C-alpha cells in the first residue's frame, strides 16, 4: 500500500492546490494529506481546512470523501454490482426456504432482480464463502445410492453366479463412489473424520467380496446388505447436506457482512484498514452509510445506526455506548475505540472461530460426535463378539459389525445436535442476541429460574412524580423543595424525576448541605434551616428512628397502586411524602410469557416494598417476588435462589445490576453487546426486555430440539441392533431402521 501511494506522488513538477488550484511545489507544499489513497497538496492551512467543510467542528478526524462508493438515487447501479446483490439476496432467500425445498423456491426468489437500495449499494459486496453443492459431489452420492439399490434389487433375478458377481461389483462401485465423495468433499470440524464415515461402506463391500470369492452361500445376503447399507448412508449424507446448506449460507453472509473496510486513526490522519487488520485499542472512525468493522465503544460523536447486522430498526448511539461489528451508521459520524476485532467479534465468536464454534464445542454437539466416533468402534466389537459367541458364520459376523458401525458412525447422529445448536445461534443473531460461549448457550438452555432486576428491565426506569402529600402543617411545595435539594446534582432516575417536577412547578430546591446517599434506601442531609433532613424509604425512616404511623394508610394506598414512595422527615419528624410512578416497559408482559412458555419460573427482584412489588407482579403475571432487596445484597439473594439446585438466570442492565448479574449462573445484560467487557453470558444489542427473555426461550428450545434429535438418531438404531444381536431382525433391517429414524430427525429440522 505504501509503495502504491508513493508511486502516485508527483516528483519534479508543480501540482495544483486541491482547493484553489494554485500551483505548488509538492516538496514544499504548506499542507499534504492523503484522501482515498492519493496525495492532496495545499498551498496553505486555510485551503487544507476548507477542503473539508466539517474540519474543526468536531473532535473527530477529517472525514474522507467517498470515491466510487456513493450511489445517486437517480443513477443506475452498475450491472455487475446489481448481479452480485441479486446473488446475495437469492442466497438469503434460499436460506429461509422451509418444507421440501422445492415448492417454496419460486416464491422465495421472486423479485430478486430489482436493484439494491441506496444504503445496500454502498456496502462492500464480496463472494459468498459457501461451497455450493458441486455437481461432482452430487453425482458421486447419486452413484452410490443407485448402485447400492441396484445391488439389492437384483436379488430378484436369482442366485446365478453372474448375477451375484454383478451385484458384488455394484456394491464395490457404490462403496467406491461414497469413499470418493467423502475424500473430495471439504470437511468441517463439526463432522466425523472421513475415514470413520467410510468404515461401514468399505466393510460391507469387503464382506460381500470375500463371500463371493469364497463361494459362501450367504453371498446373496451379503450383497443385498451391502447395497442397502451404502444406499442408506448415501441418503443420510444427502439429508445432512440439505439441512446444513441454509446454515452455511447464513454463516457466510454473516462473515461477508463483517468483512468490511475500516478506517483507523493514525495521529492526525485516517488510514484505510481491513476489518481483519484492526486490533483492540485502536481508534476508528465510522461515517454515514458505513459499517462498523469491530466491536467498539464510542468516544466522540453520535449517530443513528442499525444496531446489528440484520437489524431493520434504528437507534441512536452516543458517547459511552457500545456498538457491534456489522452495525450500519445511517446518519451521523462517530469516533470509537475497538474492543474486539477479528474472530473475537461478537457475531464471529460462535459462528466462525474454530476455538469457540458453538456447533463444535457445545456439550450436546460434542456428545453426538463422540457417540458416533467412539461408540461405533465399541458397538462393532460388542456386536461381533456377541455373534461369534452365538456360533454365527463369519459373513454374518461381518454384517453385524458393519450394521452396528452404520447405526452409530452415522453422519446424522454426529451432526444433528450441531445443526440445531448453530441454528439457535444464528436465530439469536438475527435478533441481536449474542451468547458468549457454547457453554453459556448450554447453561441458558437449562435455566429453571429467571430473576428480573425490575428497574430498567420490566420498568422503564424513568419514574414521574405522581403525587405529593404534606403532613404536620407543612405544604407540598416545601416537601418538594426539600426532596429536590437532596437530589440536586444526582443522575439517578428518581432524582431526575424530582428535579423535573420541581422545575415544572416553579419550586426552588432547598439549599441542602452534606447529602449522604444510603444505597437502596435514600439520602440523609442537613436542610438550609440547619435541621437533619431524611428522604427515602420506610426502611431508612426506621433506621433513623422516625415514626411513619401518621402516613401509614397513605403509604399503603400508594404502594397498592404500584408507586414508589419517598418519605420526607425533617428534625426527626415526618412532614410529607412523594409518590413516584414508573411505567412498564413495552413488552414486559410478553417477556414474562416467553419464560412461562418454556417452564422457567420468573422472579421479581426489587428494592421497593412488598406492596409495590406485588402490584407490579400482578401486572406482568409474576407470583414469586423478592422485595426490599438492597443493590449490594442482590448477589446473596440470587445465590439463595440457586440453593435449591436450579440454574438461575439474571436479567438486568450493566453497571446498575452488576452485583446481581455476576451472581447468576447465566447473566443476560441489555445493551451490552460490543462492549469492552465480555463477562456476561448473554449480551444484547438492544435494550428490549423481550429479547432478553427470548434468548432464554430460544436456548431452551434449541437444547430440547438437539436432545430430541440425538434421541431419534440413536435410540431406534440401538434397539434394532440389540434385536439383530439376538437374531430377531436381519442386519439390513437394522440399517433401514437407522435410516428411517435419521430421516425423521432431519426432517424435523429446523422447525421441529
Amino acid at each position: 500500500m505504501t509503495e502504491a501511494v508513493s508511486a502516485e506522488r508527483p516528483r519534479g513538477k508543480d501540482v495544483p492546490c486541491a482547493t484553489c488550484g494554485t500551483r505548488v511545489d509538492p516538496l514544499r507544499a504548506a499542507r499534504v494529506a492523503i484522501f482515498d489513497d492519493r496525495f492532496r497538496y495545499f498551498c496553505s492551512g486555510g485551503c487544507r481546512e476548507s477542503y473539508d467543510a466539517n474540519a474543526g467542528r468536531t473532535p473527530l478526524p477529517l472525514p474522507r470523501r467517498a470515491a466510487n462508493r456513493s450511489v445517486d438515487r437517480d443513477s443506475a447501479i452498475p450491472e455487475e454490482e446489481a448481479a452480485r446483490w441479486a446473488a446475495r439476496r437469492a442466497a438469503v432467500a434460499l436460506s429461509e426456504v422451509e418444507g421440501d425445498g422445492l415448492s417454496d423456491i419460486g416464491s422465495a426468489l421472486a423479485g430478486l432482480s430489482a436493484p439494491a437500495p441506496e444504503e445496500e449499494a454502498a456496502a462492500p459486496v464480496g463472494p459468498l464463502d459457501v461451497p455450493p453443492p458441486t455437481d461432482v459431489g452430487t453425482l458421486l452420492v447419486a452413484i452410490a445410492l443407485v448402485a447400492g439399490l441396484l445391488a439389492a434389487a437384483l436379488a430378484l433375478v436369482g442366485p446365478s453366479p453372474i448375477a451375484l458377481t454383478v451385484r458384488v461389483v455394484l456394491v464395490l462401485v457404490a462403496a467406491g463412489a461414497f469413499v470418493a465423495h467423502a475424500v473430495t468433499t471439504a470437511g468441517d470440524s463439526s463432522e466425523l473424520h472421513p475415514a470413520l464415515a467410510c468404515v461401514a461402506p468399505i466393510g460391507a463391500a469387503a464382506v460381500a467380496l470375500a463371500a463371493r470369492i469364497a463361494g459362501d452361500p450367504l453371498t446373496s445376503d451379503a450383497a443385498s446388505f451391502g447395497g442397502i447399507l451404502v444406499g442408506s448412508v448415501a441418503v443420510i449424507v444427502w439429508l445432512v447436506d440439505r439441512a446444513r446448506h441454509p446454515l452455511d449460507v447464513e454463516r457466510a453472509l454473516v462473515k461477508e457482512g463483517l468483512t468490511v473496510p475500516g478506517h483507523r486513526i493514525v495521529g492526525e490522519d485516517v488510514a484505510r484498514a481491513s476489518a481483519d487488520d484492526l486490533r483492540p485499542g485502536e481508534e476508528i472512525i465510522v461515517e454515514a452509510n458505513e459499517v462498523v468493522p469491530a466491536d467498539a465503544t464510542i468516544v466522540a460523536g453520535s449517530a443513528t445506526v442499525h444496531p446489528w447486522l440484520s437489524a431493520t430498526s434504528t437507534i441512536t448511539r452516543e458517547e459511552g455506548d457500545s456498538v457491534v461489528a456489522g452495525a450500519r451508521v445511517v446518519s451521523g459520524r462517530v469516533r470509537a475505540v475497538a474492543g474486539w476485532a477479528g474472530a473475537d467479534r461478537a457475531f464471529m465468536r460462535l459462528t466462525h472461530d474454530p476455538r469457540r464454534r458453538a456447533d463444535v464445542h457445545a456439550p450436546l454437539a460434542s456428545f453426538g460426535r463422540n457417540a458416533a466416533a467412539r461408540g461405533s468402534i465399541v458397538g462393532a466389537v460388542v456386536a461381533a463378539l456377541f455373534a461369534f459367541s452365538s456360533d454365527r458364520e463369519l459373513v454374518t459376523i461381518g454384517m453385524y459389525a458393519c450394521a452396528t458401525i452404520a447405526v452409530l458412525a452415522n453422519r446424522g447422529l454426529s451432526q444433528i445436535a450441531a445443526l440445531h445448536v448453530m441454528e439457535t445461534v444464528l436465530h439469536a443473531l438475527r435478533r441481536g442476541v449474542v451468547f458468549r460461549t457454547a457453554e453459556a448457550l448450554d447453561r441458558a438452555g437449562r435455566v429453571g429460574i429467571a430473576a428480573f432486576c425490575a428497574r430498567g428491565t420490566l420498568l422503564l426506569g424513568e419514574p414521574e412524580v405522581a403525587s405529593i402529600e404534606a403532613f404536620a402543617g407543612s405544604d407540598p411545595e416545601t416537601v418538594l423543595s426539600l426532596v429536590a435539594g437532596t437530589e440536586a446534582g444526582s443522575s439517578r432516575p428518581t432524582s431526575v424525576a424530582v428535579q423535573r417536577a420541581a422545575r415544572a412547578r416553579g419550586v426552588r430546591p432547598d439549599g441542602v448541605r452534606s447529602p449522604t446517599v444510603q444505597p437502596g434506601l435514600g439520602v440523609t442531609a442537613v436542610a438550609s434551616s440547619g435541621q437533619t433532613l431524611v428522604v427515602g424509604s420506610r426502611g431508612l425512616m426506621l433506621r433513623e428512628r422516625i415514626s411513619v404511623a401518621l402516613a401509614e394508610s397513605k403509604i399503603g394506598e400508594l404502594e397498592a397502586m404500584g408507586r414508589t414512595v419517598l418519605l420526607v422527615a425533617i428534625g426527626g419528624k415526618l412532614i410529607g411524602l412523594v409518590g413516584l410512578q414508573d411505567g412498564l416497559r413495552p413488552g414486559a408482559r410478553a417477556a414474562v410469557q416467553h419464560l412461562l412458555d418454556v417452564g422457567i419460573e420468573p422472579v421479581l427482584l426489587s428494592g421497593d416494598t412488598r406492596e409495590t412489588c406485588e402490584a407490579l407482579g400482578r401486572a406482568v403475571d409474576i407470583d414469586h417476588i423478592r422485595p426490599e432487596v438492597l443493590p449490594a445484597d442482590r448477589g446473596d439473594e440470587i445465590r439463595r435462589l440457586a440453593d435449591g439446585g436450579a440454574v438461575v438466570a439474571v436479567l438486568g442492565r450493566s453497571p446498575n445490576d452488576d452485583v446481581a448479574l455476576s451472581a447468576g449462573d447465566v447473566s443476560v445484560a441489555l445493551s451490552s453487546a460490543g462492549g469492552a467487557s465480555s463477562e456476561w453470558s448473554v449480551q444484547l444489542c438492544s435494550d428490549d426486555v423481550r429479547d432478553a427473555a427470548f434468548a432464554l426461550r430460544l436456548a431452551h428450545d434449541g437444547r430440547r430440539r438437539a436432545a430430541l434429535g440425538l434421541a431419534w438418531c440413536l435410540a431406534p438404531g440401538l434397539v434394532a441392533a440389540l434385536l439383530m444381536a439376538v437374531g430377531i431382525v436381519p442386519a439390513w433391517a437394522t440399517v433401514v431402521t437407522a435410516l428411517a429414524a435419521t430421516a425423521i430427525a432431519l426432517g424435523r429440522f429446523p422447525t421441529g
Side-chain angles (χ1 to χ4, degrees), residues 136-137 140 179-186:
V136 174
L140 291 173
V179 171
H181 174 270
V183 171
T184 57
T185 302

Side-chain angles (χ1 to χ4, degrees), residues 307-473:
W308 64 89
L309 198 59
S310 58
T312 56
S313 60
T314 60
I315 61 175
T316 301
R317 288 289 193 240
E318 301 175 338
E319 183 177 344
D321 293 335
S322 59
V323 288
V324 296
R328 176 180 290 278
V329 175
V330 178
S331 62
R333 182 164 169 255
V334 297
R335 178 174 183 165
V337 175
W340 305 99
D344 291 326
R345 290 174 290 180
F347 275 48
M348 291 285 285
R349 285 197 296 263
L350 298 191
T351 56
H352 290 85
D353 187 357
R355 302 166 298 166
R356 290 172 285 194
R357 269 184 57 178
D359 56 344
V360 175
H361 299 288
L364 286 178
S366 297
F367 173 81
R369 194 166 53 253
N370 292 333
R374 302 173 185 176
S376 60
I377 299 174
V378 175
V381 172
V382 171
L385 291 176
F386 197 95
F388 180 78
S389 64
S390 302
D391 294 327
R392 304 281 184 179
E393 297 83 354
L394 289 178
V395 173
T396 302
I397 294 174
M399 288 192 294
Y400 280 14
C402 291
T404 306
I405 293 176
V407 167
L408 295 174
N410 178 337
R411 194 180 179 199
L413 174 62
S414 68
Q415 285 281 284
I416 186 66
L419 292 175
H420 282 293
V421 167
M422 183 52 67
E423 199 276 335
T424 299
V425 170
L426 292 173
H427 195 170
L429 293 182
R430 294 176 215 139
R431 291 282 291 261
V433 176
V434 178
F435 292 95
R436 183 167 64 92
T437 62
E439 292 73 17
L441 171 61
D442 184 71
R443 283 198 308 274
R446 294 185 283 110
V447 167
I449 297 175
F452 289 93
C453 297
R455 191 76 64 188
T457 55
L458 296 178
L459 296 174
L460 287 171
E462 300 173 359
E464 295 287 342
V465 173
S467 61
I468 303 174
E469 301 289 338
F471 311 114

